[in-house]
Amino acid sequence: EFDPAPLPIGTDYEFVNSIMSKLYGMYNKSELSEAAMRDVLLRLKNEILDEDKNSVWEDRPNLSKLIPTSIEGMQDVHFRGAERTELSERSLDWLRENGKCLDNIRPGNSTIKQAGRGAFATRKLKEGSLIAPAPLLHIVDRSSLFSPRSGSEQELLLNYCFGHEHSNLLLCPTTSVSLINHSSEHANAEIRWSKTMSSDGKDWRAASLEELADEFSARLMFDVVATKSIRSGEEIFLDYGPTWEEAWKQHSRDWTPHYTSEQYKYVPSNFLNAEQAPITEDITNDYPNHVYLCRVEPYIRVDLDDVNDEMPVPVQDYYANPSINLDHWDETSRVLFEEDENDWWWPCDVMHVDEERNVYTTRIYEKKVFEDDNGHLNTGGRLIREVTNTPRDAIRFVDRPYHSDQHLKTAFRHEIMIPDDMFPLHWRNDYVNGALLANSWLKDNWDEKSAEQKEQHTQKLREAKCGLYYAPSTIPNSGKGLYAGVDIDSQIEVESWVPPIVIPDVDWNVTDDTPRWDGSDYTWEGAAYGVEFEDPNDSQLLAVDMGMMANFHPGLVNAYLGPTHFNPLLDRNVDPGAGASSDYAGHSFISNREIAAGTEVFISYGETWFTFRKQLQGVPLRNNYNEANVISASTISLFTGPKGIQGLDKNGIEAVFAVLKDVIAEPRTASVLSSINTMDDLVHVMMSRGTAEITAPVKSMEWLEEHGECIDHIYVKESTIKQAGNGAFARRFIAKGDKIIVSPMLNTWGRQRYNMNKDRAEHDVNEKQLIYNYHFGHPNSTLLLFPVTRSISINHSSKRPNAKVRWSPTDKKTQYYLQRHIKDLRNEKYATLVMEYVATRDIYPDEEIFIDYGPEWEEAWEEHVRRFEEASNSRSSIYNMLSSSYKKSEGGFSSMLIKEMNHDKLNSKYHPWSEDHFHVCKVSEIPDLESDEWINLYDGDEANDYFGITYDHDGFDLMRFT
């Protein structure tokens, strides 16, 4: 691991060496005991030089670390130096056993004409012996060697690196191995992966390209090994591979000279310097491929920030500058700069040539490559000095940027090829990564659809025979589920809005004698639908339609719960129907992926649905299907293998998969894989794009027509009957006698289940839950039946009914229990009986559907209206003439007025809490509910940032008190 602590520097070692030498000399001349001398060393280490205890040394934290604590350690530092005592001494025997020789080869001019330099053996090398190690710097993406300004487009480094034709990875040797040339005929060496590759003990050949990209040390290494005996002085060759050789031959056939004009013929700068080519004032025309460098001191004693075009350029005689001559330098500076030859040379122009004296007037420029007005790159930035009497040996030629041979457009570029059997398959571009393949099977898409796209889907539903079917589920022993009757794009409402039914205080009056409520497995937490404020204790909800009929498959969830829409239509102050139907216009489930027609629609109940139920704890969860996908995808990827690599055959694939299944420890994942055994099974998984998908095959429209029932012939919107709230309307034409919709019926045993806990409320409330209104019942029975489909929105009309209800004549369970005693029905836990709504005449698109609830219901409604009107007449008749805003201010509150207040929520007079309403805010993080701090709301300049909520925030809303 990287140690961020600073390392000792040279002056630290010099300081400690000096102290130890002096102490050692003192100790030998004194009569100090060993104990006293050790104490001196300890005090020096732990007190005097400790940077934590003595701030004088805080800038040199390594001094105390270098101080020895023993007499022997002090002696060792005195004789060998502190820098050497930190290092382990290695014997020649140890080096022969653990090291690798680096000088078995030397550079020289290759025996191959076009190869340039080559590698030659410095001693005799036996067959099989190591010629040289090659630690490798890795370049994960070869495009980083692209050189946009160079004519060759690729950096010269590419020619010295190893690679593979199906990978972007390059491995570049850091030793003289890079000198070894190619010969397929005379190859006497080969590369092998080193057995002692990395000091960390990790086999980096198993690392992913992503891991290599994050690693900056040379962790991989080749060994170059002799394939035959090699004589001392013999040139060493590798076979770069047929791909490289063919590329070179093609290059040789296509090659043409770069310069066609004699004037622009390139002459290497080292040749010009060796020949002392004439220096001219017009280098651009005389030497178009070169610029001048002039030798002055390695640093310029002019503040470049003070140089500008308006001030005169400093002029200096070459021989009047003592800094040019090292003899005038102090010893320390001379040691620093005398070997750094390149630091002495600066870009320059020759302004005047004195041929008689062979001296020149030059101008010195800042060391900087820039682009001139013609778009050419030049060496030399701002002018910083003019020098007279510059001697010829202080001027030399250098290639202009991108003008040397390595930048030729026709220069050969190709990496050295690594054999297929050496190159790890997972580094190849054509390698199929099982995890990535499995991820590609995931279909979730969260891109919002436009209003036009949503309208197109609505029109598609109108034209379809059926948009949503209720049919036997693909999940064994799960009863029935819902299926798409048309193709559904992602982010589209799978169902129309259906009013959810809020159930506050559902368990308050339950005792041991209370009959079991079959709806307990169908309820949702109120918070999931945004209705938790209907009851301060435990608000639950029945989400009719998909929320009660769709199944949950952890590996195939293709629809998620959308928002709940609060849209009360009636005012409690003037409408007798207020409170008789749900104030929530509806909720819907939205597709999170494309759903093909015939696909079962699955929603999520939350995986605790399975984990909290003992009998369901073995059901595979989402992660189990994901793991099974990776295992299946990885196995089937072995079949073909990358290009040129022989994959496993059918028997090999099945054998490998059997082993993988056998070692899977997670029982749920093992159960997913249990039905996959053969190559054909794996192909089926891949074609279905997942292990979960094969458990839920897409059904044909013919199968759905035969085994299913259509439940989307109707949609929900505001009723044509004023006091009814929402109603059900035909989506498409329904002929007389045809089924409009079917609905399984949820059993409730005992009407007391829906009694309200009136003691909890701060004012009088209805003694019955709202859900009571949506049940079918009989005065001589305690059994209540609740439809679980959108049929709950079908309203009453005794004058113009166009539909009726009947028991399903085709549902076998319904017909069975109709012949049995009612106590037998108690054994059924889920919605069992099925009721059908049938058209009593032709019903046309967008016509509202009505059934006759019966004379008892109608009489009860008329009595309710009469009492409401009597109560209204007893109040001031002026009240009904008041504006809504006045009613709000005077306490004439209703859910409908809350909706209107939210449309005008920035009105400050609604901001104070009242006995009838309060505020709720959508926050991006969960407040600390244990703290005493309130989330206060302010507006204007006082608006606070607590959780980012102000009154103009789109998450700020007003709610009525319950």
Side-chain angles (χ1 to χ4, degrees):
E1 295 183 3
F2 175 69
D3 184 2
L7 297 173
I9 59 176
T11 53
D12 293 335
Y13 291 115
E14 293 172 2
F15 182 86
V16 172
N17 289 343
S18 175
I19 293 179
M20 291 301 103
S21 293
K22 292 176 181 178
L23 287 177
Y24 180 74
M26 179 272 294
Y27 175 68
N28 284 333
K29 296 177 182 178
S30 69
E31 296 181 357
L32 274 178
S33 66
E34 289 189 14
M37 190 64 235
R38 285 197 301 272
D39 188 52
V40 170
L41 293 172
L42 285 173
R43 290 180 182 275
L44 182 64
K45 182 181 186 72
N46 298 331
E47 298 175 7
I48 299 174
L49 295 179
D50 189 287
E51 73 275 10
D52 294 330
K53 299 173 182 175
N54 190 342
S55 60
V56 173
W57 304 105
E58 63 184 7
D59 293 333
R60 303 183 71 178
N62 292 293
L63 289 177
S64 63
K65 298 175 184 177
L66 296 175
I67 301 297
T69 57
S70 65
I71 306 298
E72 295 77 15
M74 177 180 66
Q75 180 177 334
D76 196 20
V77 172
H78 168 69
F79 285 107
R80 294 199 301 140
E83 60 273 20
R84 284 201 160 276
T85 58
E86 287 188 305
L87 305 176
S88 301
E89 293 288 337
R90 301 299 188 191
S91 66
L92 286 176
D93 290 337
W94 184 93
L95 289 173
R96 292 188 185 100
E97 181 179 353
N98 298 282
K100 295 187 177 184
C101 184
L102 288 171
D103 73 341
N104 283 331
I105 55 179
R106 62 167 177 81
N109 293 331
S110 177
T111 57
I112 298 177
K113 178 168 176 50
Q114 297 296 332
R117 295 179 180 82
F120 295 83
T122 58
R123 54 183 63 90
K124 182 179 180 180
L125 300 170
K126 295 180 180 179
E127 180 181 351
S129 65
L130 176 70
I131 298 174
L136 302 164
L137 291 177
H138 50 270
I139 300 174
V140 173
D141 185 359
R142 67 172 62 208
S143 66
S144 61
L145 293 187
F146 175 71
S147 179
R149 291 189 177 275
S150 176
S152 64
E153 295 185 351
Q154 291 281 356
E155 298 282 0
L156 178 62
L157 178 61
L158 179 67
N159 287 3
Y160 295 90
C161 297
F162 291 83
H164 192 280
E165 62 179 324
H166 296 298
S167 176
N168 290 329
L169 177 68
L170 293 174
L171 301 174
C172 307
T174 59
T175 62
S176 52
V177 164
S178 58
L179 293 168
I180 301 177
N181 286 314
H182 161 77
S183 174
S184 56
E185 296 180 3
H186 304 292
N188 51 13
E190 66 180 9
I191 56 171
R192 300 176 184 173
W193 287 111
S194 175
K195 295 180 180 179
T196 55
M197 204 169 322
S198 178
S199 59
D200 63 1
K202 176 180 177 179
D203 186 353
W204 282 83
R205 289 172 298 181
S208 67
L209 293 177
E210 289 76 14
E211 290 176 297
L212 285 176
D214 292 334
E215 177 58 43
F216 299 102
S217 300
R219 296 297 190 182
L220 297 162
M221 184 160 63
F222 286 151
D223 282 342
V224 179
V225 178
T227 56
K228 57 181 70 172
S229 295
I230 300 174
R231 303 183 306 276
S232 176
E234 182 180 349
E235 186 167 6
I236 297 169
F237 295 107
L238 288 169
D239 184 347
Y240 289 2
T243 301
W244 186 96
E245 187 164 27
E246 179 54 37
W248 170 254
K249 290 178 178 178
Q250 185 63 45
H251 168 77
S252 300
R253 290 191 293 267
D254 296 341
W255 182 84
T256 56
H258 183 64
Y259 294 113
T260 57
S261 171
E262 188 66 27
Q263 178 185 1
Y264 288 96
K265 185 174 181 180
Y266 174 76
V267 179
S269 55
N270 64 326
F271 179 82
L272 295 175
N273 291 326
E275 296 294 322
Q276 286 284 295
I279 301 297
T280 71
E281 298 172 6
D282 189 7
I283 191 172
T284 302
N285 289 315
D286 295 337
Y287 303 99
N289 298 300
H290 303 86
V291 293
Y292 293 131
L293 295 182
C294 294
R295 191 179 189 279
V296 291
E297 72 272 29
Y299 57 88
I300 301 295
R301 291 173 295 179
V302 174
D303 187 351
L304 294 178
D305 292 333
D306 293 337
V307 176
N308 56 64
D309 295 337
E310 298 179 357
M311 65 181 295
V313 177
V315 179
Q316 186 180 64
D317 187 283
Y318 186 87
Y319 294 102
N321 181 3
S323 298
I324 291 177
N325 191 337
L326 271 176
D327 294 339
H328 297 115
W329 287 39
D330 60 68
E331 182 179 356
T332 301
S333 299
R334 186 162 56 249
V335 170
L336 286 173
F337 287 100
E338 65 181 345
E339 294 183 359
D340 297 329
E341 174 65 17
N342 291 327
D343 287 343
W344 294 75
W345 293 89
W346 294 72
C348 63
D349 279 339
V350 174
M351 309 304 297
H352 177 69
V353 178
D354 187 337
E355 296 181 357
E356 182 178 343
R357 297 173 53 227
N358 199 26
V359 294
Y360 307 84
T361 299
T362 59
R363 284 192 165 188
I364 312 299
Y365 295 90
E366 178 188 2
K367 291 183 178 180
K368 182 180 180 181
V369 176
F370 72 99
E371 188 174 287
D372 62 21
D373 295 339
N374 297 320
H376 301 135
L377 285 180
N378 286 293
T379 303
R382 289 182 295 176
L383 176 63
I384 55 178
R385 182 185 298 175
E386 186 174 303
V387 180
T388 60
N389 295 321
T390 304
R392 174 63 182 84
D393 59 6
I395 304 174
R396 70 182 186 188
F397 293 91
V398 68
D399 290 326
R400 284 186 187 276
Y402 300 111
H403 277 63
S404 64
D405 283 347
Q406 79 175 62
H407 300 292
L408 289 174
K409 187 175 183 62
T410 57
F412 179 71
R413 293 287 186 270
H414 206 288
E415 73 275 28
I416 305 168
M417 307 311 295
I418 301 174
D420 281 345
D421 59 355
M422 276 188 65
F423 196 75
L425 296 181
H426 63 283
W427 290 349
R428 293 176 54 142
N429 298 333
D430 55 357
Y431 179 76
V432 179
N433 181 292
L436 294 179
L437 176 59
N439 284 338
S440 72
W441 295 342
L442 300 178
K443 308 175 185 69
D444 288 0
N445 186 337
W446 302 99
D447 295 336
E448 182 66 25
K449 291 295 182 292
S450 66
E452 181 182 2
Q453 290 172 310
K454 294 177 181 178
E455 179 56 34
Q456 289 172 353
H457 179 74
T458 300
Q459 187 60 34
K460 182 195 297 184
L461 290 177
R462 285 181 172 275
E463 298 170 356
K465 188 173 185 179
C466 179
L468 198 63
Y469 285 94
Y470 177 59
S473 175
T474 55
I475 302 177
N477 304 315
S478 294
K480 294 184 177 182
L482 299 181
Y483 292 80
V486 296
D487 292 337
I488 304 174
D489 203 353
S490 60
Q491 298 305 304
I492 293 292
E493 290 182 345
V494 179
E495 60 174 353
S496 64
W497 288 7
V498 184
I501 312 301
V502 182
I503 315 172
D505 287 335
V506 68
D507 292 328
W508 78 271
N509 59 357
V510 175
T511 66
D512 292 340
D513 297 329
T514 304
R516 174 181 55 83
W517 184 41
D518 290 352
S520 59
D521 280 340
Y522 290 87
T523 59
W524 294 73
E525 292 294 330
Y529 283 78
V531 303
E532 68 268 40
F533 301 113
E534 289 284 352
D535 171 20
N537 299 290
D538 182 24
S539 205
Q540 297 184 55
L541 174 144
L542 284 178
V544 293
D545 241 30
M546 285 193 65
M548 299 185 71
M549 302 177 72
N551 286 313
F552 175 26
H553 190 311
L556 286 177
V557 174
N558 50 20
Y560 66 95
L561 179 61
T564 301
H565 304 275
F566 180 69
N567 186 36
L569 301 174
L570 303 174
D571 188 328
R572 71 175 72 169
N573 300 295
V574 295
D575 296 315
S581 59
S582 176
D583 278 344
Y584 297 89
H587 69 278
S588 62
F589 283 83
I590 301 172
S591 58
N592 57 1
R593 60 180 68 178
E594 293 179 0
I595 304 175
T599 301
E600 185 168 2
V601 179
F602 294 109
I603 62 175
S604 174
Y605 309 160
E607 292 192 342
T608 54
W609 172 268
F610 299 106
T611 57
F612 283 177
R613 288 168 167 77
K614 186 175 181 180
Q615 72 274 20
L616 298 177
Q617 288 181 359
V619 173
L621 305 179
R622 180 181 177 88
N623 285 341
N624 302 117
Y625 285 104
N626 290 343
E627 183 182 10
N629 286 347
V630 171
I631 293 170
S632 301
S634 295
T635 306
I636 202 165
S637 298
L638 296 170
F639 180 66
T640 55
K643 184 177 180 181
I645 302 296
Q646 178 62 48
L648 295 179
D649 61 12
K650 177 177 179 291
N651 293 333
I653 290 289
E654 293 175 355
V656 169
F657 190 67
V659 172
L660 292 176
K661 287 174 56 177
D662 187 54
V663 299
I664 297 301
E666 225 300 322
R668 290 188 180 98
T669 304
S671 71
V672 175
L673 297 171
S674 62
S675 62
I676 307 170
N677 299 294
T678 67
M679 182 66 182
D680 290 340
D681 294 337
L682 286 169
V683 171
H684 182 39
V685 169
M686 187 174 70
M687 298 302 293
S688 302
R689 299 178 67 82
T691 52
E693 280 70 9
I694 66 173
T695 66
V698 176
K699 302 296 186 180
S700 67
M701 291 298 101
E702 292 76 17
W703 185 92
L704 289 174
E705 284 292 323
E706 180 181 354
H707 298 91
E709 301 281 0
C710 184
I711 64 166
D712 87 323
H713 286 322
I714 60 176
Y715 67 95
V716 180
K717 69 175 183 177
E718 185 176 351
S719 174
T720 57
I721 297 177
K722 166 67 176 168
Q723 300 299 329
N726 290 299
F729 294 79
R731 174 173 273 123
R732 49 187 76 92
F733 176 78
I734 305 170
K736 178 181 178 180
D738 285 352
K739 282 181 282 189
I740 301 171
I741 191 171
V742 301
S743 182
M745 310 299 282
L746 189 64
N747 305 327
T748 298
W749 303 95
R751 300 172 186 237
Q752 73 272 21
R753 166 69 67 174
Y754 298 128
N755 291 344
M756 284 290 294
N757 184 357
K758 298 172 66 174
D759 295 336
R760 287 187 180 180
E762 297 177 358
H763 55 274
D764 288 339
V765 297
N766 200 305
E767 64 181 16
K768 287 293 185 184
Q769 298 264 12
L770 171 64
I771 191 175
Y772 190 71
N773 285 4
Y774 292 93
H775 282 79
F776 286 85
H778 192 279
N780 295 329
S781 175
T782 60
L783 174 64
L784 296 176
L785 298 170
F786 177 80
V788 301
T789 66
R790 65 191 73 177
S791 61
I792 64 166
S793 297
I794 298 178
N795 287 316
H796 162 77
S797 176
S798 59
K799 297 179 180 179
R800 48 193 179 104
N802 51 12
K804 66 179 182 179
V805 294
R806 71 184 183 193
W807 295 115
S808 171
T810 57
D811 184 77
K812 294 181 180 179
K813 275 194 173 183
T814 299
Q815 292 301 313
Y816 171 80
Y817 281 110
L818 289 176
Q819 309 303 318
R820 308 290 296 180
H821 193 280
I822 192 171
K823 68 179 181 180
D824 293 335
L825 187 59
R826 289 180 179 269
N827 297 324
E828 291 289 343
K829 186 177 181 182
Y830 301 107
T832 305
L833 302 177
V834 177
M835 192 172 285
E836 296 179 350
Y837 296 73
V838 181
T840 56
R841 62 169 174 81
D842 288 349
I843 302 174
Y844 293 89
D846 300 316
E847 180 181 349
E848 187 167 3
I849 297 170
F850 298 104
I851 61 174
D852 186 346
Y853 288 4
E856 294 88 347
W857 186 94
E858 190 162 27
E859 289 175 9
W861 169 252
E862 290 173 350
E863 176 63 19
H864 169 77
V865 172
R866 184 185 63 78
R867 291 198 306 267
F868 181 88
E869 290 175 347
E870 288 178 355
S872 299
N873 292 332
S874 67
R875 293 183 295 172
S876 171
S877 61
I878 299 177
Y879 178 82
N880 292 320
M881 300 170 62
L882 297 178
S883 66
S884 295
S885 62
Y886 182 85
K887 292 177 184 178
K888 297 170 197 173
S889 63
E890 293 298 317
F893 225 80
S894 74
S895 300
M896 188 172 180
L897 297 184
I898 280 285
K899 177 181 70 171
E900 295 177 13
M901 289 171 69
N902 275 318
H903 291 162
D904 189 24
K905 66 184 179 182
L906 299 186
N907 191 328
S908 61
K909 69 181 180 182
Y910 302 150
H911 293 173
W913 287 20
S914 74
E915 293 182 355
D916 296 296
H917 88 283
F918 65 104
H919 309 139
V920 295
C921 301
K922 180 180 179 181
V923 295
S924 57
E925 55 182 301
I926 303 300
D928 180 7
L929 300 181
E930 299 298 324
S931 74
D932 294 328
E933 184 177 6
W934 285 82
I935 303 178
N936 296 313
L937 293 173
Y938 300 94
D939 54 9
D941 295 336
E942 296 181 339
N944 68 341
D945 293 327
Y946 191 75
F947 292 105
I949 300 297
T950 57
Y951 276 112
D952 58 349
H953 192 282
D954 61 2
F956 164 65
D957 221 345
L958 296 110
M959 292 287 289
R960 59 177 181 198
F961 266 135
T962 53

